[in-house]
């Protein structure tokens, strides 16, 4: 037995010596070894000797297969020897490309010389003899090279021409997180290595493969020989880079670019091929200690068109709670990040752009055309400088009153609040513009042209929020001081809705068992101020003028009877009556911890106080008939504006209304029921808006203009029309 740990065995040994000539032979694990010589000359042949047995002889793990070859030597004088030989490696099953090796060697008193040429030669397991790169473990590789080695009086130098490694497999890093790597090929035009540990590779090119960064720390290794690698303008092609962050992995496919390597330093500039989507670019410099641990790094990452769903595991590393959000999200990311680590602290700065973003939470959906944010993360501090959201739309489920009211005391919460709280985010400026809100169905737009601004959000500090837009074609404004880090969410401020139309409530009223409003304008003010002991004081004011509803659709179970003591129709008449004076006012006080506010809770409070206001024996209001004083009939319009003749006829009616305080302008559709389809509805509303805009332009306040929701009649006109009506109050009012 011979070799490391006596792992190889020679049997059937024969040794013959005759007149100074000797011959040795034997079987080596199924192969054959023969050696003979005389004097200072000799030869050695191997015939299909197991390769691992030979490699064990020099303490290498080796590759399975068989070796065959020939080595001859002779003495040249007293202190000089020369040797030459060739070898061949073949896989055990005889498949695949064989490996070849040839060498010429001279050993003398002044030094040593070696010329070595290999082709597809296995160099598996050599990392055990390269303690200077202790974090790199090569488990498989094939070497093509031609090198010359010279040693003279204790110094040595190795140089070579074109060469390379192919099908390289291994791992890098310390336990327990060694990360695998592979390369299809590493090739160079020349190489040099000397006794001072300087390894220089020129024309290095790396093609194909996968690398993982960053690597785990390894125990520092004491070594008297440290290899220092120099390689500039290294060409990289078709590389896959895996970026690890805990259990999360970000893969950047098919990169190409350049790499510069100096002792304990690496710089790189890699980008995706043009034909690959999504697009990546990674630039940076990494510093290593003598044990090849990452000491510090700076890396710039640029990505375009990245699928959001694939990026969520990576984003969650800097956004605690993201993966746990009860949301399904999609979209495409553009990122520009700068990462820096000094050995102790990690900081990430940059910007994120998100296109075609969609999120679903239960039956609620939120989407945005474009989101852009500038941020900074330093250790556990997370900060957004500016965040802008464009073209957003929020679809919320339609919740009938009978479903919502039993839970009206539940505070208003949203998954985004959980994300902000989990990461302790601070936000300097958040701007959401060109937004809309739909309820139940996409086409049921309740609010549009929304602009929401939030400023100064910090843990433990109130933030300023402002909202403007159109709600039910009326003006919506809100100004709040919000405290998202308090649970439940606390807010103070005022909300105004001015001169809105009731059409947005059609489906909700019907689903809630109440009559559908066909006409009216309403105003709302909700004001919340802070009180002592973390409390609040709520006050509200509501006005509804000239409500008109569809008759004959009274529901069997009217929800208003139980809540207010009035039927829905009686409630509408009462609201119209009090709105002509100062409107309906209500209020409430409470503590946030015990009695949190919600919008359903505000409605519940208002209805309870309607009951109180009508608990006496006061007479119920009676609807009085108004008088139509003057009319003008208009055709329905598609895209064109009002004609000159139409403007003249409409202006006569407008002038009459404008001159009489307390008069109104009604825009009454007339159309046959069989003709009232979606297209006709659009033309009716478009024509009503044309008249409304024309009347407002000529000095009539929009609060006195009342479009009527179209309801077809059996004997209405086939093509439809709008009757513009000057309406006077009932006689004697």
């Amino acid at each position: 037995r011979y070799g490391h740990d006596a792992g190889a065995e020679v049997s059937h040994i024969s040794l013959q010596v005759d007149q100074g000539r000797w011959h040795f032979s034997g079987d080596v694990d199924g192969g054959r070894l023969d050696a003979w010589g005389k004097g200072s000359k000799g030869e050695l042949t191997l015939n299909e000797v197991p390769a691992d047995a030979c490699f064990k002889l020099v303490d290498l793990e080796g590759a399975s297969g068989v070796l065959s070859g020939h080595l001859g030597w002779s003495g040249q004088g007293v202190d000089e020897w020369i040797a030459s030989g060739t070898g061949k490696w073949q896989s055990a099953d005889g498949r695949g490309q064989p490996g070849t090796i040839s060498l010429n060697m001279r050993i003398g008193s002044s030094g040593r010389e070696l010329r070595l040429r290999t082709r597809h030669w296995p160099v598996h397991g050599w990392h055990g003899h390269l303690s200077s790169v202790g974090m790199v473990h090569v488990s498989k590789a094939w070497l093509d090279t031609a090198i010359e080695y010279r040693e003279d009086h204790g110094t040595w130098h190795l140089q070579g021409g074109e060469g390379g490694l192919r099908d390289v497999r291994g791992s890098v890093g310390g336990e327990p997180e060694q990360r695998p790597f592979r390369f299809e090929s590493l090739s160079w035009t020349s190489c040099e290595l000397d006794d001072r540990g300087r390894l220089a590779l020129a024309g290095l090119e790396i093609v194909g493969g996968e690398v993982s960064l960053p690597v785990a720390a390894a125990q520092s290794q004491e070594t008297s020989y440290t290899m220092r690698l120099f390689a500039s303008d290294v060409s990289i092609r078709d590389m896959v880079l895996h970026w690890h962050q805990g259990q999360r992995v970000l893969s950047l496919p098919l990169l190409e670019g350049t790499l510069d390597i100096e002792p304990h330093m690496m710089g790189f500039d890699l980008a995706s091929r043009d034909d690959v989507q999504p697009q990546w670019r990674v630039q940076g410099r990494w510093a290593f200690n003598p044990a090849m641990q990452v000491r510090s790094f700076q890396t710039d990452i640029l990505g375009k068109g990245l699928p959001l769903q694939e990026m969520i595991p990576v984003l969650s590393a800097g956004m605690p709670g993201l993966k746990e959000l009860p949301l399904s999200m999609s979209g495409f990311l553009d990122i520009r990040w700068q990462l820096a680590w000094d050995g102790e602290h990690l900081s990430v700065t940059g910007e994120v752009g998100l296109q075609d973003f969609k999120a679903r939470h239960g039956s609620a959906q939120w989407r945005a055309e474009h989101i852009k944010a500038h941020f900074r993360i330093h250790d556990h501090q997370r900060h957004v400088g500016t965040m802008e959201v464009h073209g957003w739309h929020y679809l919320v489920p339609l919740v009938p009153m009978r479903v919502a009211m039993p839970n009206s005391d539940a505070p208003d919460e949203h998954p985004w609040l959980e994300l902000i709280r989990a990461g302790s985010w601070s936000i300097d400026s958040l701007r959401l513009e060109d937004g809309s809100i739909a309820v139940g169905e996409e086409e049921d737009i309740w609010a549009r042209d929304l602009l929401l601004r939030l400023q100064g959000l910090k843990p433990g500090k109130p933030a300023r929020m402002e909202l403007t837009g159109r709600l039910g074609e009326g003006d919506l404004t809100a100004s709040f001081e919000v405290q998202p880090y308090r649970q439940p969410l606390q807010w103070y401020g005022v909300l105004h809705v001015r001169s809105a139309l009731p059409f947005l409530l059609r489906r909700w009223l019907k689903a809630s068992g109440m009559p559908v409003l066909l006409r009216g304008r309403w105003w709302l003010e909700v004001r919340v101020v802070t009180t002592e002991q973390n409390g609040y004081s709520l006050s509200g004011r509501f006005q509804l003028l000239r409500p008109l509803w569809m008759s004959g659709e009274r529901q069997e179970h009217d929800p208003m009877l139980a809540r207010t003591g009035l039927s829905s129709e009686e409630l509408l008449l009462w609201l119209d009556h009090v709105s002509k004076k100062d409107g309906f006012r209500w209020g409430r006080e409470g503590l946030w911890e015990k009695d949190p506010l919600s919008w359903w809770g505000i409605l519940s409070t208002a209805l309870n106080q309607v009951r109180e206001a009508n608990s006496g024996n006061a007479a119920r209001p009676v609807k009085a008939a108004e008088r139509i004083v003057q009319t003008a009939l208009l055709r329905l319009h598609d895209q064109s504006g009002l004609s000159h003749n139409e403007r003249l006829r409409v202006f006569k009616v407008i002038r009459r209304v404008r001159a009489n305080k307390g008069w109104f302008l009604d825009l009454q559709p007339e159309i046959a029921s069989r003709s009232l389809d979606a297209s006709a509805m659009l033309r009716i509303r478009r024509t009503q808006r044309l008249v409304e805009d024309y009347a407002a332009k000529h000095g009539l306040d929009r609060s006195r203009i009342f479009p009527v929701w179209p309801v077809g009649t059996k004997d209405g006109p086939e093509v439809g029309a709008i009757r513009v009506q000057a309406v006077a109050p009932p006689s004697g009012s």
Side-chain angles (χ1 to χ4, degrees):
R1 292 181 177 272
Y2 69 94
H4 183 65
D5 294 332
E9 181 177 299
V10 181
S11 61
H12 301 95
I13 296 174
S14 171
L15 176 61
Q16 299 176 9
V17 180
D18 182 14
Q19 298 181 357
R21 179 180 176 86
W22 57 269
H23 178 245
F24 175 88
S25 64
D27 295 335
V28 183
D29 291 343
R32 183 70 179 175
L33 179 151
D34 283 283
W36 57 89
K38 183 177 181 179
S40 61
K41 295 183 178 181
E43 295 183 31
L44 170 70
T45 62
L46 300 176
N47 186 22
E48 296 188 351
V49 174
D52 53 357
C54 295
F55 287 125
K56 286 176 183 177
L57 182 63
V58 289
D59 192 16
L60 293 177
E61 293 181 11
S64 61
V66 294
L67 288 177
S68 300
H70 171 268
L71 176 67
W73 65 88
S74 65
Q76 304 291 314
V78 179
D79 296 322
E80 186 170 325
W81 293 80
I82 61 172
S84 63
T86 60
K88 176 182 177 181
W89 172 91
Q90 181 67 56
S91 63
D93 58 8
R95 298 179 180 178
Q97 180 181 352
T100 61
I101 187 171
S102 64
L103 62 87
N104 291 278
M105 182 169 57
R106 183 187 64 82
I107 302 175
S109 58
S110 61
R112 305 176 187 178
E113 294 182 5
L114 171 67
R115 291 181 175 86
L116 181 70
R117 183 179 295 274
T118 66
R119 180 72 175 171
H120 195 65
W121 193 255
V123 291
H124 306 356
W126 283 22
H127 66 270
H129 292 267
L130 299 175
S131 59
S132 59
V133 286
M135 290 188 70
V136 180
H137 307 271
V138 179
S139 59
K140 179 182 179 183
W142 310 91
L143 177 65
D144 297 335
T145 191
I147 58 175
E148 293 185 3
Y149 171 87
R150 295 179 183 273
E151 181 181 336
D152 186 11
H153 297 96
T155 64
W156 58 266
H157 180 263
L158 181 150
Q159 67 179 20
E162 292 185 359
L165 290 167
R166 287 182 290 156
D167 195 16
V168 182
R169 299 287 192 276
S171 62
V172 61
E175 297 292 349
E177 292 188 74
Q178 288 188 343
R179 306 204 189 281
F181 67 81
R182 69 172 183 85
F183 303 110
E184 292 181 13
S185 70
L186 289 84
S187 60
W188 52 83
T189 56
S190 66
C191 64
E192 288 187 69
L193 177 64
D194 60 28
D195 57 333
R196 294 171 298 174
R198 185 182 188 278
L199 172 61
L201 297 173
L204 181 60
E205 182 179 43
I206 303 174
V207 178
E210 299 179 65
V211 176
S212 297
L213 290 174
V215 298
Q219 295 296 320
S220 179
Q221 300 185 16
E222 296 294 333
T223 175
S224 59
Y225 176 81
T226 301
M227 185 179 294
R228 296 175 294 119
L229 176 62
F230 293 82
S232 60
D233 292 328
V234 179
S235 175
I236 306 288
R237 289 194 291 118
D238 297 344
M239 179 68 66
V240 178
L241 178 63
H242 301 293
W243 183 281
H244 291 256
Q245 181 67 42
Q247 299 299 315
R248 308 168 184 92
V249 182
L250 172 63
S251 296
L252 286 59
L254 298 181
L255 301 174
E256 54 188 16
T258 59
L259 183 70
D260 290 302
I261 303 174
E262 301 174 7
H264 313 312
M265 184 68 69
M266 177 178 68
F268 51 89
D269 185 352
L270 304 173
S272 301
R273 289 187 341 205
D274 292 339
D275 60 342
V276 174
Q277 293 295 332
Q279 284 283 301
W280 289 95
R281 185 171 184 181
V282 186
Q283 299 171 287
R285 291 189 67 82
W286 290 55
F288 303 88
N289 63 17
M292 290 300 291
Q293 297 168 310
V294 179
R295 189 176 70 230
S296 64
F297 65 74
Q298 290 184 331
T299 303
D300 294 344
I301 301 178
L302 178 68
K304 292 185 177 181
L306 316 177
L308 174 61
Q309 197 62 39
E310 297 178 11
M311 290 290 294
I312 286 178
V314 177
L315 295 173
S316 61
M319 301 178 69
L322 179 62
K323 287 186 68 175
E324 292 73 29
L325 280 182
L327 296 173
S328 61
M329 293 180 284
S330 64
F332 295 92
L333 277 171
D334 294 339
I335 64 173
R336 187 185 298 272
W337 296 346
Q338 295 83 45
L339 289 76
W341 186 58
D342 61 6
E344 295 184 9
H345 304 287
L346 174 67
S347 66
V348 184
T349 60
E351 62 183 55
V352 175
L354 186 53
Q355 321 290 337
D356 299 327
F357 175 66
K358 296 178 182 178
R360 179 185 291 271
H361 177 228
S363 54
Q365 301 176 41
W366 197 88
R367 67 174 185 261
E369 295 175 4
H370 180 67
I371 301 174
K372 186 175 183 179
H374 298 265
F375 71 95
R376 182 175 187 269
I377 300 175
H378 182 73
D379 291 339
H380 300 294
Q381 298 176 357
R382 298 172 178 85
H383 174 256
V384 172
T386 60
M387 183 174 181
E388 297 181 352
V389 182
H390 300 272
W392 59 276
H393 178 71
Y394 189 26
L395 173 63
V396 298
L398 188 149
V399 182
M401 182 178 291
R402 65 180 181 276
V403 176
M405 282 306 180
N407 301 310
S408 61
D409 292 333
D412 293 322
E413 289 288 324
H414 194 280
W416 299 118
L417 290 176
E418 301 173 16
L419 186 64
I420 291 173
R421 292 165 181 161
S424 297
W425 286 92
S426 62
I427 302 175
D428 289 345
S429 174
L430 171 64
R431 180 183 177 93
L432 292 85
E433 62 182 32
D434 192 21
S436 59
I437 297 175
V439 179
E441 302 289 342
E442 286 283 357
E443 64 271 16
D444 275 357
I445 304 294
W446 283 34
R448 64 178 73 244
D449 302 330
L450 295 175
L451 171 61
L452 186 149
R453 290 175 291 185
L454 181 72
Q455 292 182 315
L457 174 64
K458 295 180 180 179
K461 300 288 185 179
R464 191 70 183 171
M465 187 183 80
E466 294 182 350
L467 175 66
T468 60
R470 303 281 291 170
L471 178 67
E473 301 189 37
D475 292 328
L476 167 66
T477 59
S479 180
F480 292 129
E481 187 178 88
V482 296
Q483 300 194 37
Y485 282 98
R486 291 191 176 180
Q487 291 182 296
L489 171 70
Q490 298 183 17
W491 50 275
Y492 304 95
V494 60
L495 175 141
H496 287 284
V497 180
R498 298 179 178 88
S499 191
L501 299 175
F503 304 152
L504 74 166
L505 299 171
R506 295 186 327 276
R507 293 187 180 180
W508 180 78
L509 289 170
K510 187 172 183 178
S512 298
M514 292 181 284
V516 176
L517 286 170
L518 304 178
R519 187 192 66 197
R521 283 199 182 267
W522 56 276
W523 289 254
L524 173 67
E525 177 185 308
V526 175
R527 188 180 299 272
V528 180
V529 298
T530 182
T531 61
E532 296 180 354
Q533 298 180 342
N534 197 29
Y536 62 84
S537 176
L538 161 74
S539 61
R541 178 170 174 262
F542 181 75
Q543 289 179 285
L544 174 63
L545 291 179
R546 302 186 69 230
L548 175 69
W549 56 90
M550 189 179 298
S551 60
E553 286 202 357
R554 183 176 300 178
Q555 300 291 327
E556 182 178 353
H557 301 289
D558 190 333
M560 290 296 104
L561 279 172
R563 291 203 161 267
T564 67
L566 303 176
S567 69
S568 293
E569 294 185 0
E570 290 173 331
L571 174 61
L572 292 172
L573 287 173
W574 180 79
L575 286 172
D576 182 39
H577 175 71
V578 298
S579 296
K580 293 173 182 176
K581 300 175 182 178
D582 191 35
F584 166 55
R585 294 179 178 271
W586 77 99
R588 165 180 166 183
E589 293 187 352
L591 300 177
W592 283 105
E593 289 80 3
K594 297 180 180 179
D595 191 19
L597 273 180
S598 70
W599 290 104
W600 285 115
I602 292 173
L603 175 59
S604 179
T605 299
L607 294 178
N608 290 338
Q609 293 183 24
V610 168
R611 172 184 287 277
E612 295 174 6
N614 288 274
S615 60
N617 296 319
R620 298 284 191 264
V622 178
K623 186 175 182 63
E626 297 173 322
R627 296 175 295 126
I628 299 175
V629 179
Q630 188 173 348
T631 67
L633 194 64
L634 300 180
R635 63 183 176 87
L636 299 184
H637 287 255
D638 288 315
Q639 300 297 327
S640 61
L642 299 176
S643 68
H644 177 70
N645 180 268
E646 288 173 326
R647 291 197 300 271
L648 289 177
R649 289 187 284 116
V650 169
F651 182 73
K652 293 179 181 179
V653 182
I654 294 172
R655 183 173 56 188
R656 188 86 178 270
V657 174
R658 192 178 58 190
N660 291 274
K661 186 178 180 180
W663 286 27
F664 303 99
L665 187 72
D666 277 3
L667 309 178
Q668 176 69 54
E670 295 183 357
I671 191 170
S673 299
R674 56 186 174 276
S675 301
L676 188 58
D677 55 14
S679 175
M681 294 283 287
L682 290 174
R683 288 186 289 123
I684 288 170
R685 290 296 294 128
R686 171 173 170 75
T687 308
Q688 288 176 330
R689 291 189 182 101
L690 286 173
V691 176
E692 184 176 345
D693 292 343
Y694 181 74
K697 181 180 178 181
H698 286 81
L700 186 61
D701 193 279
R702 290 182 187 270
S703 64
R704 298 174 64 188
I705 305 171
F706 285 80
V708 180
W709 190 258
V711 177
T713 58
K714 184 177 181 180
D715 54 352
E718 290 284 343
V719 295
I722 298 295
R723 187 171 296 279
V724 182
Q725 302 177 150
V727 180
S731 299
S733 62

